[in-house]
Amino acid sequence: KNEVEQSPQNLTAQEGEFITINCSYSVGISALHWLQQHPGGGIVSLFMLSSGKKKHGRLIATINIQEKHSSLHITASHPRDSAVYICAVRSASGGSNYKLTFGKGTLLTVNP
Amino acid sequence: GAVVSQHPSWVICKSGTSVKIECRSLDFQATTMFWYRQFPKQSLMLMATSNEGSKATYEQGVEKDKFLINHASLTLSTLTVTSAHPEDSSFYICSASAPGVSEQYFGPGTRLTVT
């Protein structure tokens, strides 16, 4: 069983819809990352959080440490949001090397 | 800020040859760099962690003699795939972090195809 589980694996939405992607993990963590990977492969870091909630533009990320769960929300989705969204966690025992464990990603397709 | 580049962005090589991939931090000093491999429709898998000036730490199952990593300066790490085989064809991504900063900054990746 992967230490980091994402759902759904695939998500298709219409432009304007509110999107939620979920991430559950099984280990104690010191931080959780949400990453975006576009076709072609380049990765962009969207958020790094260890508690609470962060917002950047139309993106919102929340984390519940007790429940070992995080969500990424996209408001007013747009076709340019189409990408793979990846959840990654840094173990609480990771020391100073900040090694990440990745989920398999959620493929989001937003249709116009 | 915090830009990481990789070169080349894609490379095709013949089986048995070696390929070098560069990862550079353009506007910060990266004491730690990470090398990942991603097969189609799979998640990123950490291959190794390199700290400037010391030997890389390889993950279990990754052959250190086949995937040579050098992190000779605070802005450059290289991954050399030696005696490449078609099964080494993959997307290789590096990331870098600055001292005391837990954020990782990812490079754009290098697609390697071995024929």
Short mmCIF file of all heavy atoms in Angstrom, two decimals, chain B residues 8-46:
data_model
loop_
_atom_site.label_atom_id
_atom_site.label_comp_id
_atom_site.label_asym_id
_atom_site.label_seq_id
_atom_site.Cartn_x
_atom_site.Cartn_y
_atom_site.Cartn_z
N PRO B 8 20.00 18.30 -20.90
CA PRO B 8 19.05 18.78 -21.92
C PRO B 8 17.60 18.54 -21.47
O PRO B 8 17.37 17.88 -20.48
CB PRO B 8 19.41 17.93 -23.13
CG PRO B 8 19.87 16.63 -22.52
CD PRO B 8 20.58 17.01 -21.25
N SER B 9 16.67 19.07 -22.23
CA SER B 9 15.26 18.81 -21.91
C SER B 9 14.82 17.46 -22.46
O SER B 9 13.90 16.84 -21.94
CB SER B 9 14.37 19.93 -22.46
OG SER B 9 14.59 20.09 -23.85
N TRP B 10 15.48 17.03 -23.52
CA TRP B 10 15.22 15.68 -24.02
C TRP B 10 16.48 15.18 -24.72
O TRP B 10 17.28 15.97 -25.23
CB TRP B 10 14.02 15.63 -24.96
CG TRP B 10 14.14 16.48 -26.18
CD1 TRP B 10 13.77 17.78 -26.32
CD2 TRP B 10 14.71 16.09 -27.44
NE1 TRP B 10 14.06 18.23 -27.58
CE2 TRP B 10 14.64 17.22 -28.29
CE3 TRP B 10 15.27 14.90 -27.91
CZ2 TRP B 10 15.11 17.19 -29.61
CZ3 TRP B 10 15.73 14.87 -29.23
CH2 TRP B 10 15.64 16.01 -30.05
N VAL B 11 16.66 13.89 -24.71
CA VAL B 11 17.84 13.31 -25.33
C VAL B 11 17.50 11.89 -25.79
O VAL B 11 16.79 11.15 -25.11
CB VAL B 11 19.06 13.32 -24.37
CG1 VAL B 11 18.76 12.57 -23.08
CG2 VAL B 11 20.30 12.73 -25.05
N ILE B 12 18.02 11.57 -26.97
CA ILE B 12 17.89 10.23 -27.51
C ILE B 12 19.30 9.68 -27.65
O ILE B 12 20.17 10.35 -28.21
CB ILE B 12 17.19 10.22 -28.88
CG1 ILE B 12 15.79 10.83 -28.75
CG2 ILE B 12 17.11 8.81 -29.45
CD1 ILE B 12 15.08 11.03 -30.08
N CYS B 13 19.53 8.49 -27.12
CA CYS B 13 20.86 7.91 -27.24
C CYS B 13 20.75 6.43 -27.59
O CYS B 13 19.69 5.82 -27.45
CB CYS B 13 21.65 8.10 -25.95
SG CYS B 13 21.07 7.07 -24.58
N LYS B 14 21.86 5.91 -28.04
CA LYS B 14 21.89 4.49 -28.41
C LYS B 14 22.24 3.63 -27.20
O LYS B 14 22.96 4.06 -26.29
CB LYS B 14 22.90 4.27 -29.54
CG LYS B 14 22.47 4.87 -30.86
CD LYS B 14 23.37 4.44 -31.99
CE LYS B 14 22.86 4.99 -33.32
NZ LYS B 14 23.71 4.58 -34.46
N SER B 15 21.73 2.44 -27.22
CA SER B 15 22.00 1.50 -26.14
C SER B 15 23.50 1.31 -25.97
O SER B 15 24.25 1.18 -26.95
CB SER B 15 21.33 0.17 -26.47
OG SER B 15 21.36 -0.70 -25.38
N GLY B 16 23.96 1.35 -24.73
CA GLY B 16 25.37 1.15 -24.44
C GLY B 16 26.15 2.43 -24.25
O GLY B 16 27.28 2.42 -23.73
N THR B 17 25.58 3.55 -24.65
CA THR B 17 26.26 4.83 -24.47
C THR B 17 25.90 5.44 -23.13
O THR B 17 25.00 4.96 -22.43
CB THR B 17 25.91 5.81 -25.60
OG1 THR B 17 24.49 6.05 -25.57
CG2 THR B 17 26.29 5.22 -26.96
N SER B 18 26.61 6.52 -22.78
CA SER B 18 26.34 7.21 -21.51
C SER B 18 25.75 8.58 -21.79
O SER B 18 26.06 9.21 -22.79
CB SER B 18 27.64 7.36 -20.70
OG SER B 18 28.11 6.10 -20.32
N VAL B 19 24.91 9.02 -20.90
CA VAL B 19 24.24 10.31 -21.04
C VAL B 19 24.36 11.09 -19.75
O VAL B 19 24.13 10.54 -18.67
CB VAL B 19 22.73 10.11 -21.37
CG1 VAL B 19 22.00 11.44 -21.37
CG2 VAL B 19 22.56 9.40 -22.69
N LYS B 20 24.71 12.37 -19.87
CA LYS B 20 24.83 13.22 -18.69
C LYS B 20 23.69 14.24 -18.69
O LYS B 20 23.44 14.91 -19.69
CB LYS B 20 26.16 13.95 -18.67
CG LYS B 20 26.33 14.86 -17.43
CD LYS B 20 27.61 15.66 -17.48
CE LYS B 20 28.80 14.83 -17.13
NZ LYS B 20 30.03 15.64 -16.97
N ILE B 21 23.04 14.37 -17.54
CA ILE B 21 21.96 15.34 -17.36
C ILE B 21 22.40 16.33 -16.29
O ILE B 21 22.87 15.93 -15.22
CB ILE B 21 20.66 14.65 -16.94
CG1 ILE B 21 20.24 13.62 -17.97
CG2 ILE B 21 19.55 15.68 -16.73
CD1 ILE B 21 19.08 12.73 -17.51
N GLU B 22 22.24 17.61 -16.57
CA GLU B 22 22.64 18.65 -15.63
C GLU B 22 21.43 19.26 -14.94
O GLU B 22 20.38 19.46 -15.55
CB GLU B 22 23.40 19.76 -16.34
CG GLU B 22 24.73 19.35 -16.91
CD GLU B 22 25.48 20.54 -17.51
OE1 GLU B 22 24.85 21.60 -17.69
OE2 GLU B 22 26.67 20.38 -17.80
N CYS B 23 21.60 19.57 -13.68
CA CYS B 23 20.58 20.26 -12.89
C CYS B 23 21.24 21.47 -12.24
O CYS B 23 22.23 21.32 -11.52
CB CYS B 23 20.02 19.32 -11.84
SG CYS B 23 18.81 20.07 -10.72
N ARG B 24 20.70 22.65 -12.52
CA ARG B 24 21.29 23.88 -11.99
C ARG B 24 20.26 24.69 -11.21
O ARG B 24 19.12 24.85 -11.65
CB ARG B 24 21.82 24.76 -13.13
CG ARG B 24 23.01 24.20 -13.86
CD ARG B 24 23.50 25.17 -14.93
NE ARG B 24 24.56 24.55 -15.72
CZ ARG B 24 25.85 24.61 -15.39
NH1 ARG B 24 26.22 25.26 -14.31
NH2 ARG B 24 26.76 24.03 -16.15
N SER B 25 20.69 25.21 -10.07
CA SER B 25 19.89 26.20 -9.38
C SER B 25 20.38 27.56 -9.84
O SER B 25 21.56 27.87 -9.73
CB SER B 25 20.03 26.06 -7.85
OG SER B 25 21.38 26.16 -7.47
N LEU B 26 19.48 28.36 -10.41
CA LEU B 26 19.90 29.57 -11.11
C LEU B 26 20.04 30.78 -10.19
O LEU B 26 20.82 31.68 -10.48
CB LEU B 26 18.91 29.89 -12.23
CG LEU B 26 18.81 28.82 -13.32
CD1 LEU B 26 17.89 29.30 -14.45
CD2 LEU B 26 20.18 28.45 -13.86
N ASP B 27 19.27 30.83 -9.12
CA ASP B 27 19.28 32.05 -8.31
C ASP B 27 19.36 31.77 -6.83
O ASP B 27 19.04 32.63 -6.01
CB ASP B 27 18.04 32.90 -8.62
CG ASP B 27 16.75 32.11 -8.54
OD1 ASP B 27 16.82 30.91 -8.21
OD2 ASP B 27 15.69 32.68 -8.79
N PHE B 28 19.81 30.57 -6.48
CA PHE B 28 20.04 30.27 -5.07
C PHE B 28 21.06 29.15 -4.98
O PHE B 28 21.33 28.44 -5.95
CB PHE B 28 18.73 29.88 -4.37
CG PHE B 28 18.13 28.56 -4.81
CD1 PHE B 28 18.31 27.41 -4.06
CD2 PHE B 28 17.39 28.49 -5.98
CE1 PHE B 28 17.77 26.20 -4.47
CE2 PHE B 28 16.84 27.29 -6.40
CZ PHE B 28 17.03 26.13 -5.64
N GLN B 29 21.64 29.02 -3.80
CA GLN B 29 22.61 27.97 -3.58
C GLN B 29 21.90 26.73 -3.02
O GLN B 29 21.23 26.81 -1.99
CB GLN B 29 23.70 28.45 -2.62
CG GLN B 29 24.54 29.56 -3.23
CD GLN B 29 25.71 29.94 -2.33
OE1 GLN B 29 25.61 29.89 -1.11
NE2 GLN B 29 26.83 30.31 -2.93
N ALA B 30 22.07 25.64 -3.71
CA ALA B 30 21.36 24.42 -3.35
C ALA B 30 22.31 23.46 -2.66
O ALA B 30 23.15 22.84 -3.30
CB ALA B 30 20.78 23.78 -4.60
N THR B 31 22.17 23.35 -1.36
CA THR B 31 23.03 22.41 -0.65
C THR B 31 22.59 20.98 -0.87
O THR B 31 23.39 20.05 -0.76
CB THR B 31 23.01 22.71 0.86
OG1 THR B 31 21.66 22.87 1.28
CG2 THR B 31 23.78 23.98 1.17
N THR B 32 21.34 20.80 -1.17
CA THR B 32 20.81 19.46 -1.41
C THR B 32 20.05 19.42 -2.72
O THR B 32 19.24 20.30 -3.00
CB THR B 32 19.86 19.02 -0.27
OG1 THR B 32 20.53 19.12 0.97
CG2 THR B 32 19.39 17.58 -0.48
N MET B 33 20.34 18.41 -3.52
CA MET B 33 19.60 18.18 -4.76
C MET B 33 19.10 16.75 -4.78
O MET B 33 19.75 15.84 -4.26
CB MET B 33 20.46 18.47 -5.98
CG MET B 33 20.71 19.96 -6.20
SD MET B 33 21.61 20.27 -7.72
CE MET B 33 21.43 22.06 -7.85
N PHE B 34 17.94 16.58 -5.36
CA PHE B 34 17.30 15.27 -5.44
C PHE B 34 17.12 14.88 -6.90
O PHE B 34 16.78 15.73 -7.74
CB PHE B 34 15.92 15.31 -4.76
CG PHE B 34 15.94 15.77 -3.33
CD1 PHE B 34 15.90 17.12 -3.02
CD2 PHE B 34 16.00 14.85 -2.28
CE1 PHE B 34 15.92 17.56 -1.71
CE2 PHE B 34 16.02 15.27 -0.96
CZ PHE B 34 15.98 16.63 -0.68
N TRP B 35 17.31 13.62 -7.18
CA TRP B 35 17.07 13.10 -8.53
C TRP B 35 15.93 12.10 -8.48
O TRP B 35 15.94 11.16 -7.67
CB TRP B 35 18.33 12.45 -9.09
CG TRP B 35 19.36 13.46 -9.51
CD1 TRP B 35 20.43 13.88 -8.80
CD2 TRP B 35 19.38 14.18 -10.74
NE1 TRP B 35 21.13 14.82 -9.50
CE2 TRP B 35 20.51 15.02 -10.71
CE3 TRP B 35 18.57 14.20 -11.87
CZ2 TRP B 35 20.86 15.88 -11.76
CZ3 TRP B 35 18.91 15.04 -12.92
CH2 TRP B 35 20.04 15.87 -12.86
N TYR B 36 14.95 12.32 -9.37
CA TYR B 36 13.78 11.46 -9.45
C TYR B 36 13.67 10.87 -10.84
O TYR B 36 14.14 11.44 -11.82
CB TYR B 36 12.49 12.27 -9.17
CG TYR B 36 12.42 12.94 -7.84
CD1 TYR B 36 12.87 14.25 -7.67
CD2 TYR B 36 11.89 12.28 -6.73
CE1 TYR B 36 12.79 14.88 -6.44
CE2 TYR B 36 11.81 12.91 -5.50
CZ TYR B 36 12.26 14.21 -5.36
OH TYR B 36 12.18 14.83 -4.14
N ARG B 37 12.96 9.76 -10.90
CA ARG B 37 12.66 9.13 -12.19
C ARG B 37 11.14 8.92 -12.22
O ARG B 37 10.53 8.56 -11.20
CB ARG B 37 13.40 7.80 -12.31
CG ARG B 37 13.19 7.07 -13.62
CD ARG B 37 14.20 5.95 -13.79
NE ARG B 37 14.27 5.09 -12.62
CZ ARG B 37 15.11 4.06 -12.51
NH1 ARG B 37 15.94 3.79 -13.50
NH2 ARG B 37 15.12 3.32 -11.44
N GLN B 38 10.57 9.15 -13.38
CA GLN B 38 9.13 8.97 -13.50
C GLN B 38 8.83 8.20 -14.78
O GLN B 38 9.11 8.69 -15.89
CB GLN B 38 8.41 10.33 -13.53
CG GLN B 38 6.89 10.21 -13.54
CD GLN B 38 6.21 11.57 -13.61
OE1 GLN B 38 6.70 12.48 -14.26
NE2 GLN B 38 5.07 11.70 -12.95
N PHE B 39 8.24 7.01 -14.63
CA PHE B 39 7.80 6.24 -15.78
C PHE B 39 6.38 6.67 -16.12
O PHE B 39 5.66 7.21 -15.26
CB PHE B 39 7.88 4.75 -15.48
CG PHE B 39 9.29 4.26 -15.34
CD1 PHE B 39 9.82 3.92 -14.10
CD2 PHE B 39 10.13 4.16 -16.46
CE1 PHE B 39 11.13 3.48 -13.96
CE2 PHE B 39 11.44 3.73 -16.32
CZ PHE B 39 11.94 3.39 -15.08
N PRO B 40 5.95 6.42 -17.36
CA PRO B 40 4.62 6.87 -17.80
C PRO B 40 3.52 6.44 -16.84
O PRO B 40 3.47 5.29 -16.40
CB PRO B 40 4.46 6.22 -19.17
CG PRO B 40 5.86 6.07 -19.67
CD PRO B 40 6.68 5.76 -18.45
N LYS B 41 2.69 7.39 -16.49
CA LYS B 41 1.52 7.17 -15.63
C LYS B 41 1.91 6.67 -14.23
O LYS B 41 1.08 6.10 -13.51
CB LYS B 41 0.53 6.21 -16.28
CG LYS B 41 -0.01 6.72 -17.60
CD LYS B 41 -1.18 5.92 -18.07
CE LYS B 41 -1.65 6.34 -19.47
NZ LYS B 41 -2.05 7.75 -19.51
N GLN B 42 3.14 6.89 -13.85
CA GLN B 42 3.58 6.52 -12.51
C GLN B 42 3.96 7.78 -11.73
O GLN B 42 4.16 8.84 -12.31
CB GLN B 42 4.80 5.59 -12.59
CG GLN B 42 4.54 4.29 -13.31
CD GLN B 42 3.59 3.39 -12.55
OE1 GLN B 42 3.70 3.25 -11.33
NE2 GLN B 42 2.64 2.80 -13.26
N SER B 43 4.06 7.61 -10.42
CA SER B 43 4.49 8.75 -9.61
C SER B 43 6.01 8.88 -9.65
O SER B 43 6.71 7.99 -10.10
CB SER B 43 4.01 8.60 -8.17
OG SER B 43 4.54 7.42 -7.60
N LEU B 44 6.48 10.01 -9.18
CA LEU B 44 7.93 10.23 -9.11
C LEU B 44 8.53 9.26 -8.09
O LEU B 44 7.99 9.05 -7.02
CB LEU B 44 8.25 11.66 -8.68
CG LEU B 44 8.15 12.75 -9.73
CD1 LEU B 44 6.72 13.10 -10.05
CD2 LEU B 44 8.89 13.99 -9.27
N MET B 45 9.67 8.71 -8.45
CA MET B 45 10.39 7.84 -7.54
C MET B 45 11.76 8.45 -7.27
O MET B 45 12.51 8.74 -8.22
CB MET B 45 10.55 6.44 -8.14
CG MET B 45 9.24 5.72 -8.35
SD MET B 45 8.36 5.40 -6.80
CE MET B 45 9.52 4.30 -5.99
N LEU B 46 12.09 8.65 -6.02
CA LEU B 46 13.38 9.21 -5.66
C LEU B 46 14.48 8.21 -5.99
O LEU B 46 14.40 7.04 -5.60
CB LEU B 46 13.41 9.57 -4.17
CG LEU B 46 14.71 10.17 -3.64
CD1 LEU B 46 14.97 11.53 -4.28
CD2 LEU B 46 14.66 10.29 -2.12
#
